[in-house]
Structures are given as structure tokens and as C-alpha cells.
């Protein structure tokens, strides 16, 4: 008996147009994916500006003093500051709370209005951040950005999965993570340029530039079509939904998918309390994945690299400019491998990418930890040769993440929920991700100070655990129509014993 087995695509059922994709869908998904660019920009920009001397000196003078004057402080402890980590992590606690509000908006008003709210919040947050004159304005700007991230991360992956034809859903949904990678790279390039401004106000440009993609998202979202799934869920007549489905799929032969949508909608109308119902036994596999996948995505350690890569590279002895340039390299690697993953996911399947990426990340993290333990020490500096070896290993690690847990961490949760609990499930997924992102962002600098090089062994151990989890408990979902996804659980060696019982509606 093979672990992780699922029902094959042809056993689940296909629509006649699964290989088609229309220009209408492409343009709609490109606009929606701007939410990913903003998320990536906000991740990348915080790590860059916190490595700029002018920014740290203005808002975090105690940290600046340790950087420049205190030679007795361990390399791993120079950046430890609760206020500095609050600047980074405030975005994520705000996003956590906002994601639950976004679920109500998504269910009641649709995916499109949720994306519009996200764009407006991004605009307000970027303006306040660029205009900040004290740390409180700075953190308030981050909180507004967190509201935007919460709304965007709740709605955009759902939008992409619902608009995509089944056979291309993986590639299209991965456009979100690809956009996140572009956002991180954009932020790093802008930081690299603005840190060279001698007057010391370059960080203002870095923070305010988020307004550019936010404007595109806000204006573009006004013209976005609503997904057929959302239209029928909110009570639109079947003919209107059919017309939108025909426009999205580029064919008049949409009756099979429409029938699935109607059936899913009828089921969802009997489910008035999705956040309560998701705890029913028949939804147990989806609930487990909604919690474990975002948790595992965060304990890969990737946000350590994203938030604090410039600080990390300065810790091992690279200068300010070299640190930011190194972050550009790692960001570029992530984008390339995510693009390769987009091309491969609907052919190789989700599980193959998860497993291979996990092995790559585990090996590279253990090697980074070993080099730092052997060669850096508390007060020493890595020579250039070893610094570049660490940089290469981190690039390999980022490649593994971009190939697997980066895009798949958004794709799989967004495609596994039935319509009646879809918004609730996505909110739990986003909230868990934000919660552990917040915890890691808030504790990383302290962990770096106390764990030192052991931090990489810590995250490497989690990568080993999550790779085993995927091997045993995650079924394959490629090519399965989104409204027929419940059948993969019934065909799985473990989950069929959970969802197949007579008491599948119990809450336990």
C-alpha cells in the first residue's frame, strides 16, 4: 500500500476544456497577483532598511550604538532589540486579525471587493511609512500594511484557484508566490540603491515605493471580474454565472462545471457557520492541512532569510552594500526556481516538488550551520572565501524553497477546501501563517543571539519533519477539479478512515 496515494485525475472527472486558458483569465490573474508583489515587497523592504545605518540610527539608536561602538557584544547579538523586531513583526499580527475580517468580506461581498480593500490599505500604509518621523508612526504604517497583506493573502490565492482551469491551477496559483518573489527582489534592489544616498533619507523612498504596486492593484481590482464560484455562492442567478463561466473558460460547453458549482453552492447554503462547521470530522483533513502547511512553511526558516538576510550577511562579515547585493542574489534565485516550479507542478505533481525541495533545504541548512559553527565564532569574522560559501549554500536553500514550500504553501490550501468552508479555511490558513511569521520575526534576533549557528540546525530539523508529513499524509491534487477535491481524501490510505465513517458530521 503506497502512502500519500490519491485518486487519479481521470477517476475524479474532467471538464472538456481543462487545457484551455483565455486572455481574460490571464489579465485578471495578473492584476490579482499584484497582491503577491506587495506582500513580497513588504517582506523584503523591512530587512533592507533595518540594515541601513541612517534608518537604525534614527529609530533604533541603541542598536546603532552596539553596531558601531560595542566590540564586546557577540556577532549574533548586535541587532537584538524588541522594538526593532516589533517594527518587522507588527505587520504580521495586524495581518492575522485582518484575515478573519477579510473572510467575512469575501463571503458576503466577493473576492473582488476584498482585493480592493487590500490595495487601499497598502496605499495608506506606504504613505505613512515613508513620511514617518518617529517610531510610532513607523509601526502604525506597518500595521496598515498588515491589514492590506491580510486582505490580499486571504482573497488572492482563492481568486487565482477559482479562475484557473483544473489542469493549470497549480501554475496559475503559483503566480502568487512568483509575484511575492518579484516583490522581494524589487524591495532589495530599491534598498541597494537608496542606501547609497549620502543624505541618509533613502529609507523613506524604500518604504514609500510600496505605493506604486499598491496603486496598480487598487485601480486594476476595480475592473476585475468576480469568480463564477463567488457569484453563485452569493446568490447570482445561474444564467449570469454561466455567462461568466463561458467568458472565463472561452467555450460555451461549461455545463459540467456549472453543475458542480450549483451543487457546491447548494451545500454551502446549508452551512451557515463555516468557522464552526470546519471542525466537523468530514472536514478534518482540510483543517489539519490549513494549520500544518502554513506552520511548516514558516518553520522552514525562509522568513529568517527574507526579513533579516542583510543583517545575517553583515553578521558573517559582509559590508552594508555587499549584504544588500547578496540579498539580491538570493531573491533572484528564488524567482527563477519558483518559475521552474510553475512550469512543473501540473506535470510532476505537488508531492514530488514538496519532497525534492525538502531534501534540498535540509541538506543546505545543516551545511550552513556547520560552517558557521566551525568558522565564525562569537567575535570573529568569516573570511571572504567562507562568506561566499555560506552565500552559495543559502542560495541553494532558497532554490529549494522556491521550488517547493514557497509556492505550494499557498497553492495546496487554496485548492482543497469545499465551497461551504473555503473562505473560513483560507482565513485559518492565512492566520496560522501570520501567527508563526509574527512569532519567528519577533524572536529571531533573540534566537540568533542565543542559538547562534544552532538556529540553522533548529530549522533544518523542522524541514525533516515536514518532509515526512508530506510523504505520509498529503495526497496528490494535480488536475483534480476544485469542486471535486473531497474525493482525494476518500482515496487516501489514512484520511479515508477519518472522512469515510457514518459519523462524519461529528465535531470532535
Amino acid at each position: 500500500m503506497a502512502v500519500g496515494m490519491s485518486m487519479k485525475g481521470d477517476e475524479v472527472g474532467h471538464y472538456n476544456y481543462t487545457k484551455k486558458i483565455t486572455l481574460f483569465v490571464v489579465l485578471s490573474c495578473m492584476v490579482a497577483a499584484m497582491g503577491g508583489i506587495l506582500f513580497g515587497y513588504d517582506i523584503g523592504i523591512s530587512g533592507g532598511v533595518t540594515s541601513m545605518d541612517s534608518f537604525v540610527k534614527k529609530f533604533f539608536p541603541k542598536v546603532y550604538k552596539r553596531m558601531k561602538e560595542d566590540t564586546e557584544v557577540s556577532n549574533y547579538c548586535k541587532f537584538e532589540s524588541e522594538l526593532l523586531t516589533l517594527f518587522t513583526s507588527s505587520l504580521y499580527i495586524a495581518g492575522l486579525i485582518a484575515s478573519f475580517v477579510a473572510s467575512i468580506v469575501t463571503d458576503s461581498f466577493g473576492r473582488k471587493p476584498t482585493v480592493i480593500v487590500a490595495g487601499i490599505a497598502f496605499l495608506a500604509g506606504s504613505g505613512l511609512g515613508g513620511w514617518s518621523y518617529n517610531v510610532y508612526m513607523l509601526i502604525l504604517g506597518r500595521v496598515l500594511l498588515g491589514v492590506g497583506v491580510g486582505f490580499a493573502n486571504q482573497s488572492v490565492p482563492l481568486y487565482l484557484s477559482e479562475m484557473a482551469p483544473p489542469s493549470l491551477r497549480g501554475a496559475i496559483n503559483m503566480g502568487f508566490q512568483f509575484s511575492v518573489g518579484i516583490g522581494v527582489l524589487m524591495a532589495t534592489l530599491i534598498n541597494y540603491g537608496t542606501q547609497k544616498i549620502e543624505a541618509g533619507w533613502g529609507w523613506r523612498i524604500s518604504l514609500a515605493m510600496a505605493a506604486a504596486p499598491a496603486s496598480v492593484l487598487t485601480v486594476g481590482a476595480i475592473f476585475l471580474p468576480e469568480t463564477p464560484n463567488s457569484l453563485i455562492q452569493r446568490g447570482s442567478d445561474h444564467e449570469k454565472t454561466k455567462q461568466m463561466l463561458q467568458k472565463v473558460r472561452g467555450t460555451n460547453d461549461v455545463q459540467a462545471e456549472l453543475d458542480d458549482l450549483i451543487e457546491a453552492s447548494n451545500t454551502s447554503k446549508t452551512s451557515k457557520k463555516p468557522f464552526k462547521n470546519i471542525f466537523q470530522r468530514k472536514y478534518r483533513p482540510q483543517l489539519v492541512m490549513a494549520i500544518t502547511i502554513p506552520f511548516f512553511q514558516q518553520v522552514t526558516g525562509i522568513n529568517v532569510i527574507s526579513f533579516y538576510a542583510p543583517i545575517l550577511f553583515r553578521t558573517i562579515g559582509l559590508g552594508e552594500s555587499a549584504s544588500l547585493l547578496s540579498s539580491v542574489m538570493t531573491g533572484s534565485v528564488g524567482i527563477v526556481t519558483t518559475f521552474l516550479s510553475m512550469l512543473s507542478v501540473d506535470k510532476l505533481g505537488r508531492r514530488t516538488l514538496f519532497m525534492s525541495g525538502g531534501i534540498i533545504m535540509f541538506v543546505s541548512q545543516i551545511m550552513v550551520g556547520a560552517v558557521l559553527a566551525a568558522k565564525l565564532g562569537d567575535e570573529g569574522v568569516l573570511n571572504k572565501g567562507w562568506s561566499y560559501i555560506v552565500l552559495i549554500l543559502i542560495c541553494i536553500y532558497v532554490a529549494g524553497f522556491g521550488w517547493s514550500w514557497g509556492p505550494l504553501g499557498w497553492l495546496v490550501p487554496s485548492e482543497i477546501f469545499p465551497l461551504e468552508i473555503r473562505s473560513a479555511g483560507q482565513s485559518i490558513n492565512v492566520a496560522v501563517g501570520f501567527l508563526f511569521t509574527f512569532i519567528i520575526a519577533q524572536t529571531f534576533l533573540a534566537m540568533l543571539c542565543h542559538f547562534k549557528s544552532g538556529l540553522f540546525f533548529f530549522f533544518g530539523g523542522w524541514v525533516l519533519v515536514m518532509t515526512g508529513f508530506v510523504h505520509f499524509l498529503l495526497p496528490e491534487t494535480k488536475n483534480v477539479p476544485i469542486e471535486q477535491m473531497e474525493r482525494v481524501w476518500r482515496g487516501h490510505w489514512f484520511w479515508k478512515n477519518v472522512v469515510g465513517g457514518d459519523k462524519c458530521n461529528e465535531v470532535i
Side-chain angles (χ1 to χ4, degrees):
M1 177 175 59
V3 296
M5 61 176 282
S6 70
M7 296 190 67
K8 295 179 181 179
D10 54 3
E11 294 175 357
V12 177
H14 283 266
Y15 308 131
N16 293 332
Y17 44 86
T18 52
K19 296 295 183 183
K20 291 186 178 180
I21 183 169
T22 63
L23 181 62
F24 183 71
V25 169
V26 171
L27 293 177
S28 299
C29 291
M30 285 176 65
V31 172
M34 289 299 294
I37 289 180
L38 282 161
F39 184 34
Y41 189 91
D42 291 330
I43 291 174
I45 214 69
S46 59
V49 296
T50 51
S51 75
M52 295 182 188
D53 289 347
S54 58
F55 178 83
V56 177
K57 184 178 182 181
K58 181 175 180 62
F59 294 108
F60 310 100
K62 291 182 180 179
V63 175
Y64 182 79
K65 183 178 179 180
R66 283 204 300 269
M67 286 169 56
K68 298 298 181 182
E69 300 174 13
D70 198 339
T71 58
E72 297 182 1
V73 177
S74 168
N75 280 320
Y76 295 100
C77 301
K78 289 182 178 179
F79 291 92
E80 184 182 9
S81 164
E82 291 183 1
L83 196 60
L84 178 59
T85 51
L86 180 62
F87 162 70
T88 297
S89 56
S90 57
L91 181 148
Y92 301 98
I93 199 68
L96 187 158
I97 297 170
S99 66
F100 288 106
V101 179
S103 173
I104 299 172
V105 176
T106 302
D107 267 346
S108 302
F109 302 101
R111 284 52 165 159
K112 173 180 174 177
T114 314
V115 177
I116 293 174
V117 172
I120 294 171
F122 277 126
L123 280 171
S126 59
L128 189 59
W131 195 255
S132 293
Y133 283 92
N134 59 56
V135 73
Y136 304 105
M137 289 179 67
L138 194 68
I139 291 174
L140 180 58
R142 291 287 288 177
V143 168
L144 288 172
L145 290 173
V147 173
V149 168
F151 272 73
N153 288 11
Q154 204 281 338
S155 55
V156 171
L158 286 185
Y159 186 93
L160 296 175
S161 285
E162 290 180 346
M163 290 292 281
S167 63
L168 296 173
R169 187 176 59 245
I172 290 176
N173 187 282
M174 280 185 171
F176 182 76
Q177 177 64 25
F178 184 68
S179 299
V180 171
I182 291 175
V184 171
L185 183 59
M186 284 173 53
T188 309
L189 288 170
I190 289 171
N191 282 335
Y192 182 67
T194 57
Q195 61 91 23
K196 296 180 180 295
I197 298 175
E198 294 182 0
W201 47 265
W203 58 269
R204 293 190 182 275
I205 297 177
S206 294
L207 295 177
M209 279 296 289
S215 299
V216 175
L217 178 67
T218 307
V219 175
I222 296 172
F223 301 98
L224 279 180
E226 191 55 86
T227 69
N229 311 62
S230 179
L231 285 174
I232 203 163
Q233 181 186 24
R234 291 181 295 112
S236 293
D237 64 82
H238 295 174
E239 188 58 34
K240 181 179 179 181
T241 303
K242 184 175 182 178
Q243 290 173 2
M244 177 57 70
L245 202 54
Q246 289 171 338
K247 191 174 183 181
V248 168
R249 301 301 182 224
T251 178
N252 292 327
D253 185 15
V254 297
Q255 192 60 46
E257 184 172 6
L258 181 62
D259 290 341
D260 281 344
L261 290 178
I262 293 171
E263 182 180 352
S265 177
N266 291 336
T267 302
S268 70
K269 289 174 182 176
T270 65
S271 180
K272 300 299 183 182
K273 298 179 180 179
F275 281 102
K276 178 182 178 181
N277 293 337
I278 199 171
F279 288 93
Q280 292 177 3
R281 182 171 179 173
K282 64 180 179 179
Y283 302 129
R284 190 58 43 79
Q286 293 94 328
L287 179 61
V288 169
M289 297 304 162
I291 295 171
T292 54
I293 288 179
F295 167 73
F296 284 144
Q297 189 184 45
Q298 300 313 313
V299 294
T300 58
I302 188 60
N303 282 333
V304 170
I305 304 299
S306 300
F307 295 153
Y308 299 112
I311 290 176
L312 186 61
F313 289 133
R314 292 194 75 174
T315 295
I316 65 174
L318 299 178
E320 183 177 10
S321 294
S323 297
L324 289 171
L325 186 59
S326 299
S327 298
V328 172
M329 291 177 59
T330 57
S332 300
V333 169
I335 289 176
V336 171
T337 50
T338 299
F339 182 73
L340 294 175
S341 183
M342 288 172 63
L343 299 179
S344 306
V345 66
D346 291 312
K347 297 177 181 177
L348 300 179
R350 283 64 163 154
R351 284 168 47 80
T352 299
L353 270 60
F354 266 131
M355 299 296 293
S356 56
I359 293 170
I360 292 169
M361 288 191 292
F362 173 74
V363 172
S364 56
Q365 279 184 314
I366 297 303
M367 292 180 70
V368 169
V371 171
L372 295 183
K375 298 295 181 180
L376 179 60
D378 272 6
E379 280 83 36
V381 175
L382 284 182
N383 62 40
K384 280 190 175 182
W386 283 110
S387 294
Y388 289 129
I389 288 174
V390 170
L391 176 58
I392 290 169
L393 289 172
I394 288 177
C395 283
I396 294 171
Y397 162 78
V398 171
F401 182 83
W403 171 254
S404 59
W405 279 93
L408 293 173
W410 293 106
L411 167 61
V412 173
S414 72
E415 67 182 359
I416 62 175
F417 301 112
L419 187 60
E420 63 267 22
I421 60 163
R422 189 166 296 155
S423 291
Q426 183 67 6
S427 289
I428 292 172
N429 173 61
V430 172
V432 171
F434 278 142
L435 175 62
F436 286 99
T437 302
F438 171 80
I439 292 171
I440 290 173
Q442 195 67 27
T443 60
F444 167 69
L445 293 178
M447 290 172 69
L448 181 63
C449 178
H450 293 93
F451 280 33
K452 300 180 173 59
S453 58
L455 191 62
F456 290 92
F457 296 107
F458 172 78
F459 287 121
W462 277 113
V463 171
L464 194 61
V465 171
M466 66 187 71
T467 303
F469 175 87
V470 168
H471 178 66
F472 288 106
L473 294 177
L474 182 68
E476 184 55 70
T477 58
K478 72 172 182 177
N479 296 335
V480 181
I482 196 169
E483 303 301 350
Q484 298 182 20
M485 194 63 69
E486 78 280 355
R487 300 187 187 181
V488 302
W489 309 109
R490 297 176 191 168
H492 185 270
W493 74 275
F494 176 79
W495 292 117
K496 67 181 180 182
N497 299 314
V498 176
V499 301
D502 294 330
K503 298 181 180 180
C504 63
N505 290 323
E506 286 184 5
V507 178
I508 13 180

